[in-house]
Amino acid sequence: MSKSPEEEHPVKAFGWAARDQSGHLSPFNFSRRATGEEDVRFKVLYCGVCHSDLHSIKNDWGFSMYPLVPGHEIVGEVTEVGSKVKKVNVGDKVGVGCLVGACHSCESCANDLENYCPKMILTYASIYHDGTITYGGYSDHMVANERYIIRFPDNMPLDGGAPLLCAGITVYSPLKYFGLDEPGKHIGIVGLGGLGHVAVKFAKAFGSKVTVISTSPSKKEEALKNFGADSFLVSRDQEQMQAAAGTLDGIIDTVSAVHPLLPLFGLLKSHGKLILVGAPEKPLELPAFSLIAGRKIVAGSGIGGMKETQEMIDFAAKHNITADIEVISTDYLNTAMERLAKNDVRYRFVIDVGNTLAATKP
């Protein structure tokens, strides 16, 4: 007999879960493992709501496991540490992002790239080393191996910092890896949503010239005034796009809907790089000729390893980079998901777990 989620582990836990692909979230009693010698347990104070959470509760990608407790932008305060933990102490502010495990013996893990380990374990809806399902941050507390714990600097706000654990590292890592962090580069950011608005902030902090490329003319003022972008292109305006042809060293494409790549290739200089970090559900068309004419590169990038994630949080704290957020209560979650599906958020929902979760207990 397999045990119920409530009886699986010794430590009682409470959160919100989806039970099926309707995606409806509701209160859920479950349990978490006891604190192992290398584990850190923390009280969850805030958890960001990522587009992946919406895809996952509705099983859009086909590998969801129910009941599903989403949330991989989790921050809080350490309540217990295992005997071998060196990284943090009780009372420290910490976070957990998209990963809670990997094999630790492959080439990727040896190079601090746990995010590319073939056996990486996701923070929710994944199978942990002990064979049980992982549950995410829409919950009262979290436990993780210290390797996957990110220390939050004192000056980093927990609510605005939470989304950086997914959105932040997703854009920081490719900017660094592909050499787009060198001062004076001209970088394009496609899409001014949860990922895009953070990408603009990091690119500006690296000393880049930044052009935002969007289908929404209404976002122009915000891009230029609030986020400090240098210019704004409406991607449907052929004159604007033509005038900017051959001007960009690199483009970070954050759009997760199907969209044409050809107009973006036109914006790149020779040897320019188009990096995809959004994941459309259907394949995109790849016009080979426009890549060949200019030795251009199209690539992908997914989150980052733990070492780089810590580096990103430290860099963000130093440069006062946070996500622009709307803080919500736990009981607003289903409404928030409906709004997220319509892109009706500026720019990331963050759940005030610490102050609002307990009140939803049945």
Side-chain angles (χ1 to χ4, degrees):
M1 277 287 286
S2 63
K3 291 182 177 177
S4 72
E6 236 178 316
E7 298 164 340
E8 212 163 39
H9 297 290
V11 184
K12 295 273 178 277
F14 173 71
W16 275 45
R19 308 306 204 281
D20 55 48
Q21 57 192 38
S22 71
H24 183 79
L25 294 154
S26 57
F28 175 61
N29 289 303
F30 64 108
S31 55
R32 293 199 187 275
R33 69 179 183 270
T35 309
E37 56 185 19
E38 294 179 3
D39 284 342
V40 174
R41 186 178 302 277
F42 64 94
K43 173 182 163 61
V44 177
L45 297 176
Y46 295 97
C47 185
V49 177
C50 177
H51 226 284
S52 308
D53 299 345
L54 177 61
H55 285 301
S56 298
I57 59 175
K58 293 188 174 295
N59 198 23
D60 287 341
W61 293 326
F63 48 74
S64 295
M65 289 182 263
Y66 299 98
L68 189 152
V69 177
H72 60 204
E73 302 176 345
I74 317 163
V75 293
E77 186 174 315
V78 177
T79 55
E80 192 181 9
V81 295
S83 57
K84 291 187 176 173
V85 170
K86 298 186 178 72
K87 197 152 116 178
V88 295
N89 299 301
V90 170
D92 286 357
K93 301 294 191 288
V94 297
V96 163
C98 305
L99 303 179
V100 291
C103 80
H104 303 168
S105 58
C106 69
E107 192 179 347
S108 288
C109 285
N111 289 321
D112 296 307
L113 293 168
E114 299 91 346
N115 51 316
Y116 298 124
C117 171
K119 294 181 179 170
M120 70 168 176
I121 300 169
L122 299 173
T123 301
Y124 63 83
S126 215
I127 301 293
Y128 199 64
H129 299 299
D130 60 9
T132 62
I133 292 178
T134 57
Y135 294 117
Y138 296 12
S139 59
D140 54 4
H141 75 276
M142 186 72 193
V143 61
N145 180 288
E146 75 167 326
R147 181 167 177 157
Y148 298 90
I149 295 284
I150 299 298
R151 297 182 305 276
F152 264 58
D154 292 339
N155 68 325
M156 171 61 78
L158 295 183
D159 53 0
L164 299 181
L165 292 167
C166 172
I169 188 61
T170 296
V171 297
Y172 179 91
S173 184
L175 285 168
K176 295 283 284 189
Y177 181 81
F178 292 100
L180 303 177
D181 60 332
E182 295 164 17
K185 294 272 189 192
H186 191 173
I187 309 300
I189 308 293
V190 188
L192 195 66
L195 291 174
H197 88 285
V198 175
V200 174
K201 295 182 184 192
F202 276 113
K204 285 305 293 180
F206 286 137
S208 304
K209 183 180 176 187
V210 177
T211 295
V212 171
I213 303 145
S214 173
T215 54
S216 319
S218 60
K219 290 188 175 174
K220 179 174 182 175
E221 194 173 342
E222 223 159 346
L224 301 178
K225 281 193 179 167
N226 297 9
F227 304 137
D230 299 282
S231 53
F232 187 92
L233 293 174
V234 178
S235 53
R236 293 194 174 109
D237 185 325
Q238 286 182 321
E239 275 182 37
Q240 283 187 24
M241 295 289 279
Q242 194 58 48
T247 59
L248 302 180
D249 295 292
I251 296 174
I252 303 288
D253 185 346
T254 71
V255 176
S256 54
V258 174
H259 59 291
L261 298 181
L262 186 61
L264 301 177
F265 292 147
L267 298 173
L268 289 171
K269 296 175 181 174
S270 291
H271 333 295
K273 299 161 186 169
L274 171 66
I275 320 299
L276 306 175
V277 295
E281 288 159 41
K282 293 193 175 79
L284 301 174
E285 268 188 32
L286 192 66
F289 191 75
S290 52
L291 287 179
I292 293 165
R295 195 164 60 178
K296 295 170 186 178
I297 291 171
V298 63
S301 182
I303 53 171
M306 304 320 300
K307 184 181 175 188
E308 190 175 42
T309 303
Q310 185 67 61
E311 179 192 297
M312 176 275 305
I313 285 286
D314 294 343
F315 180 90
K318 187 178 168 188
H319 294 272
N320 297 313
I321 294 172
T322 55
D324 284 38
I325 58 169
E326 180 179 332
V327 176
I328 61 168
S329 58
T330 308
D331 59 10
Y332 187 74
L333 260 172
N334 288 302
T335 308
M337 289 298 184
E338 287 171 21
R339 285 180 53 194
L340 183 58
K342 296 185 287 210
N343 291 322
D344 174 24
V345 56
R346 292 256 197 293
Y347 276 82
R348 205 69 157 185
F349 288 120
V350 174
I351 312 160
D352 183 353
V353 177
N355 290 313
T356 69
L357 177 66
T360 66
K361 276 192 177 177

